Amino acid sequence: KLNLVDEAAALTKIRDILSTQLGREATANEVADAVGKKDEQRVSRLFRFHEAPDVVKEGVIGQRLVARNHDSDGALLATVKTSTKGQKTIDLHAALEFSRLHKHFAANAPAKADERATRIIDRAREGGWSLRRIQGYVKAIVSGTARLPSDRPVFSHDSQRLTLYLPRLASASAEARSDLRATLKSVLDELDRLDTSNSASGPGPTSA
């Protein structure tokens, strides 16, 4: 029942213990044998996922990580707080793809790496992307043949005007779409208020 973050952290801890006993770093196969797992490759992938940045871990499991106090061996483990998101979770293979994507972003624009990776992970989870689609999308971004989700606003709003940029909706973040829904709702509520007010006042005087 462990999520990917917990499973990766637990296996890494076991590897550290075995490594101390062996006097060298334990292999993925040795750790797999120690915990009764037959899939050595999965254990190896979990070790790699454990090294992923927290923003990727939080994105792929849809839950927030919280640092816990140091244990007796001085290792800092992450605990997971339940999320209210109802989005689809990401499997291990896809998680590693997003880790690779974050590394690419960090190498080119470190200050925006977390934001860009989060935006794409959210899109994948909301849309229920298949592993094949995720792999293709990540490959295209890394190779420079795919366009990143737009950083441009989906709409602009002031006291006089509401402007909606329809072509940007498809690449908008979940937060941007939520803001747009709230803005449109306020406009619709105002229309309802005006209609109610006009109905209550009745027809105006007519000319003879």
Side-chain angles (χ1 to χ4, degrees):
K1 300 296 183 178
L2 296 179
N3 61 51
L4 290 179
V5 171
D6 292 336
E7 188 178 1
L11 288 174
T12 301
K13 183 66 176 177
I14 292 171
R15 182 183 63 181
D16 292 343
I17 294 173
L18 284 176
S19 297
T20 299
Q21 295 173 350
L22 295 171
R24 58 171 174 78
E25 183 171 294
T27 65
N29 185 50
E30 289 169 333
V31 174
D33 288 341
V35 297
K37 287 183 175 291
K38 296 181 179 180
D39 193 345
E40 174 190 349
Q41 291 186 347
R42 177 176 174 81
V43 173
S44 181
R45 293 188 187 102
L46 284 165
F47 288 155
R48 289 163 52 199
F49 178 64
H50 184 68
E51 300 301 321
D54 282 353
V55 67
V56 172
K57 293 177 182 177
E58 291 174 346
V60 300
I61 66 173
Q63 296 174 313
R64 186 163 61 90
L65 303 182
V66 180
R68 195 167 66 190
N69 292 333
H70 289 276
D71 63 17
S72 58
D73 293 326
L76 185 64
L77 301 179
T79 58
V80 178
K81 287 214 169 179
T82 302
S83 169
T84 57
K85 290 182 179 180
Q87 299 166 314
K88 180 181 177 181
T89 56
I90 300 294
D91 69 16
L92 180 56
H93 289 82
L96 292 176
E97 288 294 314
F98 288 126
S99 182
R100 182 164 74 99
L101 182 66
H102 184 279
K103 184 177 180 180
H104 169 75
F105 289 152
N108 292 277
K112 294 185 176 181
D114 287 359
E115 178 187 352
R116 287 177 172 176
T118 297
R119 189 182 307 127
I120 293 173
I121 293 171
D122 285 347
R123 286 180 62 194
R125 296 183 68 229
E126 291 170 358
W129 289 10
S130 66
L131 174 60
R132 183 181 296 274
R133 181 176 179 182
I134 291 171
Q135 289 173 326
Y137 191 74
V138 170
K139 180 180 179 180
I141 289 179
V142 172
S143 65
T145 59
R147 182 172 61 87
L148 290 174
S150 175
D151 290 324
R152 296 177 297 174
V154 177
F155 70 99
S156 60
H157 185 216
D158 55 37
S159 60
Q160 300 296 322
R161 177 180 300 171
L162 170 62
T163 303
L164 176 60
Y165 306 100
L166 290 175
R168 302 178 187 175
L169 281 176
S171 60
S173 66
E175 182 179 1
R177 291 197 297 271
S178 178
D179 289 344
L180 175 58
R181 288 190 185 94
T183 300
L184 292 176
K185 184 178 185 304
S186 68
V187 173
L188 293 174
D189 289 345
E190 178 63 14
L191 286 174
D192 289 341
R193 187 190 69 77
L194 290 172
D195 288 345
T196 301
S197 177
N198 290 338
S199 297
S201 62
T206 58
S207 300

